[in-house]
Amino acid sequence: SKLRTGLIPGCVTFREGKTFSVRDMNRTQTYLSRLGIFNYINIEAIPDTTSSTPTLDVAIECTFDAPYEASIEANVSSKSNSYIGPGVTVSVTNRNLFGGGEQLRVGLTGAYEWQTGHGSAGSVFNSYEIGINSSLAFPRLLLPRFIGLSRRNLNWTRFTLNADLLNRPHYFNMAQFSASMNYDWQMRKYFTYTFTPLKLTFIKMIRTTELFDSIIGANPAVGLSFRNQFIPQIGWSMIYDRAMNRDNTINVQASVAEAGNLMWTLWRACGVRGEKRLFGMPFSQFVKGTAQLVYSRRLHGDSWLVTRVFGGIAHAYGNSAEVPYSEQFYVGGANSVRAFAVRSIGPGSYHPAGDRDNNFDETGTFKFEFNVEYRFPIVGPLHGALFLDSGNVWLLKNDPERPGSKLEGSTFFKDLAVGTGVGLRFDISMLVLRADLGVGIHAPYDTGKSGYYNMRSFKDSLAFHLAIGYPF
């Protein structure tokens, strides 16, 4: 493997004539380790017996790790309405591309969903999504030299390029391309920040069917969220992650993003009135914010009670009448309200008539979720979980075609979908395989049954999810 000139000396905090300290040794060890290119690092202080004064020579031994790393992730979810949807992500990473710890990652993602039974002839292929994503990360901030930054923590500059294709055979084919630049840095012990000075996304509807055109024709708000458009964004996010003691941990995440404001101002300054376009295509204008709190408390032994609260809000204005579909919120699935399938709840008490297989109108511009999970050991790496999930999405403005979808304080708690369930986790530290069985308790829409428990039947209230990693 190659090394960039000055990479190793830049990680060494020892200096000739400087008093030796364990702190400098630990710092050097940390700086070398965080490069991610060594699997063995040893630092040894050796007395210099030839010197007339008591001095030490420091010997540093490093062994290169394998330059390439491959990973695979998979998840499967099943709903009692006979929809099954697995997904796979395969990625390869070069951890020392230019000899300075630069990481090049290329990944392929694929997901599909089909329906079995319930009148289907055997198995009817329903939809798929494929994508390629790549990133080039530098273990330093690419900024002018006069901007001084601490070396105590590892800082990154990342460039990403992604392409995705979503195929819904009975409705549409949609392509999405995005490119972005991000700065990741840590200034204080528990705080990590990310600033995105530019992210440009292009959304293109490749094909639509007559059925899809008729659906969005009857609902202009949904149709506008699917229009071909550019999304130029600037964003900021923060993570506060701290173990307060051996029994309590807290993780707080917050993000703010805006799209189109800078471009709108420039176009307006140039005298452009009405709808403003980029390369002949309208660009989106909105603001979006999210916040999440995860609190974990050890109850006894290796048993933990983990609580999560999430909130998100998005609002379109100026050059856009609706927030793009890809930027709207949804609930359901393996990491949300696990008793319901992805995008099968909301907004509010709205629910499409019949049992149609499209759910692209079940998204919103306001989201709230609350989860509680009790995690406990069973035997060896096998752990169990009991959980309670609730949440929904709403619209900030009224949509006559989706009655009950607007956020209202008087119906907020009634609109929360609620589910419980049990889960198994096979935890071997580096990998967690998770299986969750969710049971619906309350659906926010009219199911034909009265009372708080309004699921049509126990069988129809079940949802099974197989995934990698903990849900939160």
Side-chain angles (χ1 to χ4, degrees):
S1 296
K2 55 187 177 181
L3 287 177
R4 183 171 54 85
T5 302
L7 179 66
I8 299 300
C11 296
V12 177
T13 59
F14 300 108
R15 295 293 181 268
E16 185 177 354
K18 182 180 179 182
T19 302
F20 176 86
S21 68
V22 175
R23 183 180 182 184
D24 280 336
M25 185 171 66
N26 291 338
R27 280 185 176 179
T28 301
Q29 179 95 20
T30 299
Y31 295 164
L32 291 171
S33 176
R34 71 188 187 183
L35 292 175
I37 60 177
F38 302 117
N39 63 7
Y40 174 79
I41 301 170
N42 182 58
I43 302 176
E44 185 176 359
I46 305 172
D48 185 357
T49 58
T50 63
S51 175
S52 59
T53 58
T55 59
L56 295 173
D57 292 331
V58 179
I60 302 176
E61 181 183 1
C62 302
T63 303
F64 280 111
D65 201 350
Y68 291 94
E69 179 183 68
S71 65
I72 181 170
E73 297 181 7
N75 63 79
V76 177
S77 63
S78 175
K79 191 75 174 72
S80 56
N81 62 5
S82 297
Y83 280 95
I84 303 175
V88 177
T89 299
V90 180
S91 63
V92 177
T93 303
N94 184 324
R95 293 186 288 195
N96 191 29
L97 183 63
F98 302 125
E102 299 85 2
Q103 296 186 2
L104 174 65
R105 179 186 180 276
V106 179
L108 296 174
T109 61
Y112 60 94
E113 183 181 78
W114 72 86
Q115 186 181 32
T116 60
H118 284 267
S120 300
S123 177
V124 178
F125 184 78
N126 186 50
S127 67
Y128 67 82
E129 182 176 358
I130 57 175
I132 180 171
N133 49 77
S134 60
S135 67
L136 176 59
F138 297 82
R140 53 195 174 275
L141 297 186
L142 302 181
L143 291 170
R145 291 184 177 274
F146 64 83
I147 301 179
L149 291 169
S150 171
R151 294 192 310 147
R152 294 182 180 179
N153 301 290
L154 184 59
N155 306 311
W156 290 90
T157 301
R158 302 179 190 273
F159 298 91
T160 64
L161 188 64
N162 303 323
D164 294 279
L165 174 65
L166 174 62
N167 177 51
R168 300 292 298 271
H170 301 301
Y171 302 101
F172 61 83
N173 283 8
M174 182 172 68
Q176 179 173 302
F177 307 91
S178 65
S180 67
M181 176 182 181
N182 303 300
Y183 291 118
D184 301 329
W185 76 97
Q186 188 172 1
M187 294 182 62
R188 287 180 285 179
K189 186 175 181 180
Y190 306 109
F191 290 86
T192 302
Y193 304 93
T194 297
F195 174 61
T196 304
L198 176 62
K199 179 182 179 181
L200 184 62
T201 304
F202 175 60
I203 298 175
K204 173 70 174 178
M205 296 295 292
I206 300 176
R207 176 191 65 88
T208 61
T209 65
E210 292 184 3
L211 176 59
F212 179 78
D213 293 339
S214 65
I215 293 174
I216 65 174
N219 193 326
V222 175
L224 285 172
S225 70
F226 276 95
R227 70 174 182 170
N228 299 333
Q229 58 190 301
F230 281 98
I231 308 177
Q233 288 182 267
I234 298 175
W236 173 90
S237 64
M238 177 273 293
I239 298 176
Y240 173 77
D241 191 10
R242 181 179 182 181
M244 294 177 287
N245 50 53
R246 63 184 302 272
D247 296 326
N248 296 273
T249 66
I250 187 171
N251 179 280
V252 180
Q253 300 183 30
S255 68
V256 177
E258 67 84 17
N261 290 323
L262 179 59
M263 295 184 64
W264 187 92
T265 302
L266 293 174
W267 265 238
R268 187 64 182 267
C270 294
V272 179
R273 297 293 185 266
E275 186 178 62
K276 298 160 182 61
R277 294 173 173 263
L278 175 66
F279 304 121
M281 198 76 66
F283 60 83
S284 185
Q285 188 175 5
F286 63 88
V287 292
K288 180 180 180 180
T290 64
Q292 175 180 276
L293 168 65
V294 178
Y295 175 71
S296 304
R297 179 173 178 81
R298 187 196 304 270
L299 299 182
H300 54 84
D302 199 25
S303 298
W304 291 80
L305 185 66
V306 184
T307 305
R308 169 183 177 261
V309 180
F310 177 92
I313 187 170
H315 176 62
Y317 57 95
N319 213 47
S320 299
E322 297 292 336
V323 176
Y325 177 75
S326 61
E327 296 290 339
Q328 294 192 21
F329 301 106
Y330 60 89
V331 295
N335 300 314
S336 181
V337 185
R338 284 163 279 184
F340 298 90
V342 175
R343 294 185 179 90
S344 65
I345 296 296
S349 60
Y350 167 77
H351 192 66
D355 292 324
R356 58 181 172 88
D357 62 353
N358 74 74
N359 50 13
F360 43 77
D361 55 353
E362 295 186 74
T363 59
T365 52
F366 183 89
K367 177 179 178 178
F368 175 82
E369 279 188 7
F370 177 77
N371 312 81
V372 178
E373 183 167 289
Y374 173 55
R375 300 170 182 171
F376 53 91
I378 298 178
V379 57
L382 186 63
H383 293 67
L386 302 174
F387 57 83
L388 178 70
D389 304 322
S390 65
N392 204 341
V393 295
W394 294 264
L395 300 178
L396 295 180
K397 53 186 177 182
N398 187 48
D399 183 357
E401 303 301 327
R402 288 180 283 181
S405 60
K406 186 180 179 182
L407 179 65
E408 300 284 356
S410 59
T411 58
F412 178 82
F413 291 102
K414 184 180 179 181
D415 287 347
L416 291 175
V418 179
T420 187
V422 297
L424 291 175
R425 289 93 170 89
F426 187 73
D427 188 346
I428 55 175
S429 298
M430 292 190 304
L431 178 68
V432 177
L433 297 176
R434 172 168 58 94
D436 287 327
L437 178 64
V439 183
I441 295 177
H442 175 73
Y445 51 85
D446 182 12
T447 63
K449 287 195 171 184
S450 59
Y452 189 78
Y453 178 80
N454 61 350
M455 308 307 295
R456 291 191 180 100
S457 68
F458 179 77
K459 178 183 178 182
D460 288 339
S461 70
L462 299 177
F464 177 74
H465 305 281
L466 180 64
I468 292 179
Y470 287 101
F472 45 84

